[in-house]
Amino acid sequence: MRIIAAALAAFLALPGVASADSFWELKPTGTDARLRGLSAVSGQVAWVSGSKGTVLRTTNGGRSWESVAPPGTSALEFRDIEAFDARNAVALSIGEGESSRIYRTSDGGKTWQESFRNTDPKAFYDCVAFFDRFRGLALSDPVDGKFRVLRTWDGGRSWHVDDTAGMPDALPGEFAFAASGQCVTTSGNHAWIATGGGAKARVLESRDGGRSWRASEVPLPSGAAAGVFAVAFKTPWRGVAIGGDYQKPTDPTPAFATYDGHGWQAGTKAPVGYRSGIAYRGNGLVAVGPSGTDVSEDGGSWQVADTGSFDTVDCAGHTCWASGEKGRVGRTGH
C-alpha cells in the first residue's frame, strides 16, 4: 500500500495534477451534446466532437469554445476528430451507409471539405487515426468478413478503400466500438485496431503502415457489449488496451492489458469498471469511463482520481483533456 501511495503521490506531483477529488478542471462548453470525439493539441488548443453534429474548438485552454461544425450536419454523430493544430482537423461521423463521412478543415472550422462519404450499406465507420500530418487510417466494421480500412496520403483531403488481402478474417459478431475515437491508434509506422463483440477480444496490428495486419487475442472480457474499447501506445513496443462491458459499467472484472512488443498480458491490476478511453500522460496513464477516472503512475497500479463521467481522454505532454456526456469537458495540467 505504501508503494501504491508513493506512486500516486509522484503522479500527482507532476505539473498541474490536482488532488484525487479535483483531478479535472471542468471547462463548460455550452452544449448538452455527448462528446465522444476529442483531440488534444496542447494545453491551450483542443477539439471535441459528438452528437447533434457538434464540433467545438478552443484556443485558450477551454475558457471559451467556438462551434465550428460543418454546415448541414446536425443529424450526424461526429464520434472522432483528429487535429494537427488550431487550424487543421479531420472529423469522422459514424453510422450505416451515407451517415459515415469524413470532413476536413484547414482554417479552424470556418470552412470544411467533405472528403469521404460512404456509399456501401454494409460499411459502418468507427474511428480515424493518423501516423503523421499526411498518412492516416479510418476503420469500418467488417464488410464481407473482414474489417475495412480507408487510407489517406494527403492529410485527409482524399480517402481510398484499402485492399483487404492483408487483413485477417473477422470473428463471428466481431466489430469495433465507436465509443471514444480510440478503436484505432498509431505509433511510428505501426497501427492497432481494437475489437469486441465476438467470442474473443482482439487487437489487430500492422507494422507496415496499414498494408498488412495480424490478430492477437487480448485477455479482456468479450461479448455483444464487451471487448477492447480503446488502445494507446507510448512506442510501437509499449502499449495498453482497456474496455469491459458497457452494459455493466461498474463490473469489477479486470479489463486492462499491456503490450511489450511480443504479446498481450493481463494487467496485474486494473481500474474497477468499464473504461472506454485511455491515454499516456508522460510515463503514466489516465483512463476514463462513465463511472470515473483512474490514474496510474507506473502503468500497473491504479488509483481513482475522479468519479465524474467521461467517454474519452487525450493528452498533449502532461496536459490531458477528457470529454463525454452532456457537453462535459475537463482539463488537467498546463
Side-chain angles (χ1 to χ4, degrees), residues 20 117 124 157 177 309:
R117 182 180 296 210
F124 186 114
R157 293 174 177 84
F177 291 99
S309 174

Side-chain angles (χ1 to χ4, degrees), residues 17 43 47 106 133 237 286 299 316 318:
V17 176
W47 299 65
S106 57
R133 294 180 70 94
W237 319 112
V286 181
H318 285 292

Side-chain angles (χ1 to χ4, degrees), residues 133-150:
R133 294 180 70 94
F134 301 101
R135 298 180 303 130
L137 306 172
L139 174 70
S140 166
D141 289 336
V143 176
D144 298 328
K146 292 188 176 185
F147 282 95
R148 176 172 290 180
V149 172
L150 294 178

